[in-house]
Each structure stands twice: as structure tokens, then as C-alpha cells.
Amino acid sequence: MIDLTIKIGGEAGHGINSTGQILAKTLAAAGYYVFGYPEYPSLVRGGHNTFLLRVSEKPIYCQKQSVDVLLALDSKTVAADAPFLSERGVLIYDDEESAPVSLPRPRKAIGVPLAKLTKEIGGDEIMRNTVGLGSIFAVFDLPVSFLEAEISKEFADKDPRVPGRNLRAMLAGYRFTRQTMFKYAHLLPTLPPEHSKGLKISVLSGNEALAKAALASGMTFSAIYPMTPIQSLLTILKALEKESNLQIIQPADEIEGINMAIGAAYVGKSAMVATSGGGFCLMTEALGLSAQAEIPLVIILGSRPGPATGLPTGTEQGDLRFALHAGHGDFPRLVLAPGNLQEIITATQQAFKLANKYGVPAIVLVDKFLCESLSAITLEQLQSLESPISQHQGKTELITKTSGEEHDKDGFICEEAENRKQMMEQRMGKLESVAKEITGFSEYPLRGAKTLVISWGSPKEAVLEAVHILGERGNKINCLFLNSFSPFPGEAISLILKNYKNIIIIENNYSGQAASVIREKTGFEILNKLLKYDGRPFEIEEIVEYISSKM
């Protein structure tokens, strides 16, 4: 079975992300499932940037630690990433710009004069990445026609000379590497030119999935102040503004953004804001206004490592407790936590549907890994998005009254004790109604299993794949994934937990925030915790190792 990992590395400004995206789209067009994830420091130039791309015959949604092909556009990449080459691995590097590289056998290092070939075709230095793309295709013995089509599409809106130069650069890398390959009897399989005839596969980032799901859910207003990892959501929606019934605004700050969205929702728009942890800090008072005035609002909260600026381009699940408790006083809010591309679409649709139905704020909790990773999705899955839901009830010819102060059921300010009691119970009771409409978790049971692995959000697919690997080794393990924390399915989770003596939880944060919610809601304390908080996502290998140690 084909399951290969390609990694591209270099400095910021070397076109690392665009190279990875072109390669991902090209392989998807050839019928392969792909998963891509960029990592980069918060620098405009320099630093160590990588794009990891996994390609397979089956759907994949996470990364592996081992690398089969490494395209190094600088010496830092050779030093940092070559140690992770698999036994069948191939390093492509510029042997005229870097010192000769020797790798442990049977790994192979292929010297390709990237800079020299770029100059020979009259290209700019940045086109070394495109030369490298051609080399990758040569290593896999893939026809360049797929790559030619994607490069032409990628640079179609540039200066007419740019597509031609990039095509020449790609062909230079391809031809040089093909002529050199006979020296290297490496162990990599070739990729058939068309893996799945008739299977139409597209590639989406998490932010693109959020945008498409929001529009399909009837969103007509959005105010977004750009902040990693949701910043691309603003540009994606802006590009779709003219062809949809959407008003998209970049406010001066997050306070202005959320108050604009609440105002838009009050007059009948279906509204959404998106931010990261630092921006959500500024939104907390208005979050309470949305709940108190019973005005629906969807909030996309893209987590990254905090506090303060933290690691602005890293990933982490550190905002769960913040999402659950932000704002003063008791008020209802939905907190949904998708774990993959399809769940992002489902959770976003649920958020709009339930926020509009019950007049509550709904938070969709994602992170940098989910927002910026690329996954393959079939066109059939894309077309299955639901039709736009009905809009907020404020869109009516009747006058709608409400207030941020306590009010009666008609929206008039009222400070009477009995009214306060009734209105609090009415608002908080909405969560009980919502709980009847969503399951809140997904379970992957296996008969005879005595170990239960729990996770939530972005680690989901890595956990599933790790458990599958362990299953092939004879281990019986069940999986439980939480996707709603408010309302929380405490009773159902309690019934599941009591059946296991060995329970493991896996989270991308320091304190085990989901584990603490489980203890609060069910009384079960989970002792075996795999917690990662270095700003990087989980890799399959480290999950396999930890679970094995607890079996």
C-alpha cells in the first residue's frame, strides 16, 4: 500500500508553503488522498519553515514523524530534518550550495544544483522551489503533465512570463533528476500516474472548510480581525463576498468586530466572528451581551499557545476552559470541538443552526493544526453540504426588543426578583434543549477491549491511526472522542467510563483540560495522560509509544 511522506524545508520567503500546496493539489488531481501541514516561525524572512505532505491510497488526516522524501532548500533543513528520513528515504539538496551529505544506508542523498538550474532557465532565485518540485516528480516517476497543469493554474493571475518560467524551472529539475536517478537504486516505490480513475478529489484547508460551511449555513455577515491561525479565513471569505449574499468586514479590533456582529444579528443577519485566544480575551464582555440579549452569534476560536503572544504560529488546545468560562455571570454558550475536516463542516453547520434556533452564542473551538492543515475531500462530500438554514427570527416585519440588562420575555428591562429567576432559568434551560439535538461524542468500540483512549479536537486522527497500528499488533483498544463540551454529555460518558479499568486521555495542552472537565462532570479521574505542549501537533509514533507503555 502506498503511504509516503514528503517534506519541504527552507527559509521564510523561499515559497515553502506554496510549493507544498501545489504538490498537494497535483497529487490529489492524480487521485491520491493527501494531508499537508505547514510549520513556520513568526518571521517574514529567515527561520526554519517546513511543509509536510503525506500521500496515500486511503483517506489520511494526520502526519507521521518519519519522512520518505526531503527537499532541502537550505542547509538548516538538512541538519534539522534529515535525521527523520525513513530507511527508504531520499534527500534532495543543492550540492553546489551545501557541503556533500552522507546518510546512513540505505538512505540516499541526491545532489541537484537547484540554484544553477534556476539561473540557466532565466528564473529568479525563489524558483529553486519549483526546480525541486520537478525533482520530486522524477523520484516518484510521475508524468509532469499533472504538475504542468497545476503550475499553470497556480500562476494564472500573475505576469504572463511567470507561468512559463516556473514550468521551465520544473522541467529542468525533472530532467536533471531523471538523468541522475540511474545512480541511485533506492527503495521508494513509484506512484502510478492515476491512482483512482473517476474519483474526484479536492484539497481544502480547515479555514476553507470553515468558510464553505458557514456560507452553506446561511451566514450573511462576518467581522474578522486577522490573527493567526484564522487570518486566512478573512481573505477566503472576502474572495467569496461578491458571489454570495455576504458582507465581510475587517474591524479595527476584536471588540469592534464582535459588537458589529451582534448588531448585525439583531437586525436579522446570520453573523459570525473569528479570532484566536488573545482576540477572544477582548470579546468576553460582548459574549455575555449576546447571551443576555439572546442574540445568536457564531464564534470561531482558533487556539494557539498562550498566554500573551505565546507561540503565535504554533498549535495547542489550551483554550477549552477559557471558552467554557469566559465572561462574567452564568449564561449559556455552546462549545463544539471538531476533530477533522468533515467534523469542521458539521460543527460549523450545527453552530449556526443551534445559535439561530435558541438565540445563544456558539463557539467552534479549533486550533492552528486544524485551521491550516490541508486534507483531501471528495467532490461528493463537498456537494453534500446542507442548504442554507433559516435566518435569525429578528428578520421579520415585527419590532424585536431586547436588552443587555435583565429584561422580561417581551424584551423590556425588568429588575424584579421573580422575573430575574424566571429569565435565568429560561436562558440556562436552552442547554438542555440543545443536548437533545446533539450527541456530543463519537465512540469506536471493539468487542473485548479493556483499554479506552479518550481525546478531542485535532489529535483525533493521529489517535485513530495509532490505535489501528496497535490493533494490528494484537492490542484491543476502544476510542472515545468528545466534540461538545457545552452542553456536555456527562451521563452518557459516565456509563462508558465505568466499563474500563485502563483509561488514557490524549490532549495538546499542559493541564489536561478535557480530563478536568470529565472529572467535574462525571467524577472519574483519569490518571494516564499524554499531554503535549511544545507548540507542535501529535505524531502517530509518539502516541503508539505512550499507549504501548500503558497496556
Side-chain angles (χ1 to χ4, degrees):
M1 185 188 72
I2 293 171
D3 188 349
L4 299 167
T5 296
I6 304 163
K7 197 168 193 177
I8 303 163
E11 294 183 4
H14 283 180
I16 306 302
N17 192 49
S18 60
T19 306
Q21 292 201 28
I22 290 172
L23 187 57
K25 293 173 183 176
T26 303
L27 291 171
Y32 290 95
Y33 289 95
V34 296
F35 172 82
Y37 182 66
E39 285 197 311
Y40 51 92
S42 52
L43 298 170
V44 177
R45 286 286 186 273
H48 180 53
N49 295 247
T50 63
F51 190 99
L52 184 143
L53 181 67
R54 191 174 167 204
V55 54
S56 177
E57 299 168 297
K58 64 176 184 177
I60 44 173
Y61 302 97
C62 60
Q63 62 189 48
K64 286 183 172 181
Q65 188 179 59
S66 62
V67 177
D68 298 303
V69 174
L70 175 63
L71 171 59
L73 298 179
D74 65 358
S75 56
K76 286 182 183 178
T77 300
V78 175
D81 299 301
F84 297 102
L85 280 168
S86 65
E87 285 193 359
R88 62 183 179 181
V90 173
L91 167 67
I92 301 170
Y93 75 109
D94 193 330
D95 57 346
E96 294 192 2
E97 298 285 319
S98 303
V101 176
S102 178
L103 298 173
R105 292 184 177 182
R107 300 165 187 84
K108 303 295 180 184
I110 302 178
V112 179
L114 303 170
K116 179 182 177 182
L117 291 174
T118 302
K119 290 177 183 176
E120 286 178 356
I121 58 95
D124 299 325
E125 182 185 0
I126 195 174
M127 291 183 184
R128 293 183 308 130
N129 60 347
T130 314
V131 176
L133 269 178
S135 293
I136 291 172
F137 257 55
V139 166
F140 289 121
D141 197 27
L142 277 165
V144 293
S145 55
F146 289 106
L147 198 48
E148 286 173 332
E150 192 57 46
I151 288 175
S152 298
K153 188 189 304 180
E154 182 73 18
F155 298 107
D157 59 345
K158 305 289 185 182
D159 183 305
R161 293 170 293 181
V162 173
R165 287 176 181 171
N166 276 277
L167 287 170
R168 290 197 298 275
M170 180 272 292
L171 287 170
Y174 181 83
R175 289 166 180 160
F176 181 91
T177 308
R178 287 284 290 173
Q179 292 167 2
T180 309
M181 282 296 293
F182 71 90
K183 299 179 184 178
Y184 301 94
H186 60 81
L187 304 177
L188 279 175
T190 58
L191 293 177
E194 286 189 86
H195 165 59
S196 299
K197 278 193 173 182
L199 180 61
K200 303 294 184 182
I201 296 177
S202 182
V203 178
L204 284 184
S205 69
N207 280 339
E208 287 173 320
L210 283 167
K212 287 181 179 292
L215 289 171
S217 300
M219 180 182 69
T220 52
F221 180 89
S222 185
I224 301 174
Y225 183 83
M227 191 174 185
T228 308
I230 55 81
Q231 77 280 10
S232 68
L233 190 55
L234 176 64
T235 54
I236 293 165
L237 289 172
K238 191 65 180 176
L240 299 171
E241 184 176 26
K242 290 183 179 179
E243 61 188 64
S244 58
N245 183 28
L246 172 67
Q247 184 179 10
I248 177 76
I249 292 175
Q250 179 178 327
D253 55 39
E254 290 86 355
I255 297 173
E256 181 179 273
I258 191 170
N259 281 289
M260 291 173 74
I262 290 172
Y266 178 62
V267 297
K269 300 284 188 179
S270 187
M272 181 187 85
V273 295
T275 189
S276 186
F280 190 60
C281 288
L282 301 176
M283 293 182 174
T284 53
E285 185 175 11
L287 176 71
L289 172 61
S290 168
Q292 175 72 7
E294 300 181 74
I295 297 173
L297 179 66
V298 173
I299 301 168
I300 307 299
L301 175 51
S303 295
R304 69 190 204 191
T309 304
L311 291 177
T313 59
T315 192
E316 197 166 280
Q317 294 179 292
D319 292 335
L320 173 58
R321 279 294 188 181
F322 185 28
L324 287 170
H325 302 295
H328 57 285
D330 290 323
F331 60 86
R333 92 280 306 274
L334 310 185
V335 179
L336 308 177
N340 58 33
L341 196 69
Q342 191 60 52
E343 288 184 5
I344 285 174
I345 293 171
T346 303
T348 305
Q349 291 176 315
Q350 283 183 329
F352 275 95
K353 177 182 177 181
L354 297 170
N356 281 291
K357 183 175 181 179
Y358 293 102
V360 294
I363 300 169
V364 179
L365 188 56
V366 289
D367 55 24
K368 192 257 185 183
F369 180 79
L370 284 175
C371 287
E372 296 192 353
S373 59
L374 292 178
S375 297
I377 184 169
T378 65
L379 296 185
E380 185 180 356
Q381 287 174 304
L382 277 178
Q383 292 163 359
S384 68
L385 291 176
E386 296 177 4
S387 300
I389 60 175
S390 59
Q391 300 300 309
H392 169 44
Q393 62 182 359
K395 190 173 183 179
T396 173
E397 294 181 4
L398 299 175
I399 296 175
T400 302
K401 299 183 182 69
T402 190
S403 174
E405 295 187 46
E406 190 55 270
H407 51 273
D408 62 21
K409 59 184 179 63
D410 295 317
F412 292 100
I413 295 173
C414 178
E415 298 185 354
E416 296 296 326
E418 186 59 30
N419 177 74
R420 165 66 174 178
K421 181 174 179 293
Q422 290 177 358
M423 292 303 294
M424 279 293 295
E425 291 171 355
Q426 175 183 302
R427 286 191 294 269
M428 297 305 294
K430 294 176 181 181
L431 289 177
E432 295 179 13
S433 298
V434 171
K436 297 174 183 177
E437 299 194 34
I438 59 176
T439 305
F441 65 93
S442 57
E443 189 179 8
Y444 295 75
L446 181 66
R447 181 174 293 181
K450 296 180 180 179
T451 296
L452 177 67
V453 176
I454 303 172
S455 193
W456 65 280
S458 59
K460 176 177 181 175
E461 294 297 334
V463 171
L464 278 175
E465 193 158 343
V467 168
H468 176 74
I469 291 170
L470 290 167
E472 291 181 332
R473 300 176 185 175
N475 299 286
K476 291 186 175 182
I477 303 168
N478 284 354
C479 292
L480 175 68
F481 298 99
L482 304 170
N483 50 46
S484 174
F485 287 91
S486 180
F488 186 81
E491 186 175 340
I493 299 301
S494 294
L495 291 173
I496 295 170
L497 296 181
K498 71 178 185 180
N499 295 316
Y500 299 91
K501 290 185 178 180
N502 186 25
I503 301 176
I504 299 166
I505 192 163
I506 298 174
E507 301 188 56
N508 221 167
N509 58 57
Y510 176 82
S511 58
Q513 294 184 24
S516 71
V517 173
I518 291 171
R519 182 180 180 184
E520 174 190 331
K521 300 294 185 180
T522 70
F524 281 85
E525 182 174 8
I526 301 172
L527 300 178
N528 295 325
K529 302 183 182 76
L530 174 57
L531 306 175
K532 188 172 184 176
Y533 39 88
D534 61 359
R536 275 72 182 174
F538 280 105
E539 291 166 333
I540 298 166
E541 293 90 340
E542 61 190 320
I543 297 175
V544 169
E545 182 181 356
Y546 182 83
I547 296 176
S548 296
S549 71
K550 300 298 178 180
M551 295 294 291

